[in-house]
Amino acid sequence: MNILIVHAHPEPQSFTSALKDAAVADLSAAGHSVVVSDLYAMGFNPVASAADFGSRGDADYLNYALEQRHNVKAASLAPDIAAELEKIQAADLVLLSFPLYWFSVPAILKGWIDRVFVSGIVYGGRRIYDGGGLKGKRAMAIVTTGGRDHMLSPGGIHGDLTETLKPLLQGSLGYAGMTVLPPFYGYHVPYIGAEAREAVLANFRAQLAAIDSREPLVMPSLADFDAEMKPL
């Protein structure tokens, strides 16, 4: 299996990085091909702009999605976008490794999605959900938090974290056609001791080893909607 890990943490010694390193080690040892895009180490540019395009369909007005489609056809996407897109297209499984920032992903990871999930390949028109351009690939988020598990659960002060991450899990990964697996959460990690961290790491490795048995999250199906995307 080809696996892409997109890692978004600025500190190599962080627990988030330890989870990423464990995934690389265990998946490689299991015989899988693992590629890592370490966004901070790469200096990945998260800012979507006209500089992403080697040619323009409309030189006078920047509609980013339409220019993505134009540059797909012209084979003139910026080299860093084209390189990341090639990694995604080669992957059977995409793991997103990141700390929770303001109930969401770090800006560098959001920018990676904005720039690399290219209209005309990943999505566009009815190329969404089970018709999406990344159909047949699986995705899983690996998330670390400062908050405790009871704070980020149904009925907790912040609510259910999986529901909070819907813009990522459904609005990006599921929307693009990927089969989205339940995330792994490492809670309260800046404040727990070494023994507790080892327990979280062991739990993560066990869940990763059993990844093929994880039931995916439920996503919309185009079969349930008409040509105007109205429910049947």
Side-chain angles (χ1 to χ4, degrees), residues 143-195:
V143 189
T144 55
T145 78
R148 299 175 184 271
D149 55 353
H150 67 266
M151 300 165 67
L152 293 156
S153 61
I157 188 169
H158 302 314
D160 177 37
L161 184 50
T162 299
E163 185 63 26
T164 297
L165 288 174
K166 186 175 181 178
L168 170 68
L169 302 175
Q170 177 176 330
S172 298
L173 303 175
Y175 188 88
M178 304 183 86
T179 298
V180 184
L181 304 177
F184 175 84
Y185 298 126
Y187 295 101
H188 206 49
V189 295
Y191 311 107
I192 59 178
E195 185 176 346

Side-chain angles (χ1 to χ4, degrees), residues 24-208:
V24 172
D26 289 7
L27 293 168
S28 298
H32 302 296
S33 173
V34 182
V35 173
V36 178
S37 286
D38 186 336
L39 300 184
Y40 285 98
M42 293 162 58
F44 184 81
N45 173 21
V47 180
S49 73
D52 293 342
F53 308 119
S55 63
R56 290 291 296 275
D58 184 342
D60 298 321
Y61 185 90
L62 178 62
N63 181 309
Y64 194 80
L66 293 182
E67 292 299 337
Q68 285 180 322
R69 296 181 198 179
H70 169 78
N71 280 262
V72 165
K73 293 178 180 178
S76 52
L77 289 167
D80 60 340
I81 296 175
E84 294 303 298
L85 188 58
E86 184 176 347
K87 294 176 190 177
I88 296 174
Q89 290 176 308
D92 303 300
L93 171 66
V94 177
L95 303 177
L96 303 183
S97 164
F98 63 93
L100 189 70
Y101 281 8
W102 295 106
F103 286 19
S104 188
V105 300
I108 198 168
L109 179 54
K110 178 59 166 65
W112 181 87
I113 294 169
D114 290 346
R115 297 183 66 222
V116 177
F117 278 29
V118 173
S119 182
I121 294 180
V122 173
Y123 78 99
R126 293 184 67 85
R127 191 189 284 114
I128 57 174
Y129 295 121
D130 49 358
L134 301 183
K135 182 178 180 179
K137 304 178 186 296
R138 293 183 295 169
M140 177 179 165
I142 304 163
V143 189
T144 55
T145 78
R148 299 175 184 271
D149 55 353
H150 67 266
M151 300 165 67
L152 293 156
S153 61
I157 188 169
H158 302 314
D160 177 37
L161 184 50
T162 299
E163 185 63 26
T164 297
L165 288 174
K166 186 175 181 178
L168 170 68
L169 302 175
Q170 177 176 330
S172 298
L173 303 175
Y175 188 88
M178 304 183 86
T179 298
V180 184
L181 304 177
F184 175 84
Y185 298 126
Y187 295 101
H188 206 49
V189 295
Y191 311 107
I192 59 178
E195 185 176 346
R197 287 189 175 203
E198 284 301 317
V200 175
L201 191 58
N203 183 28
F204 170 65
R205 298 181 104 142
Q207 291 196 31
L208 199 62

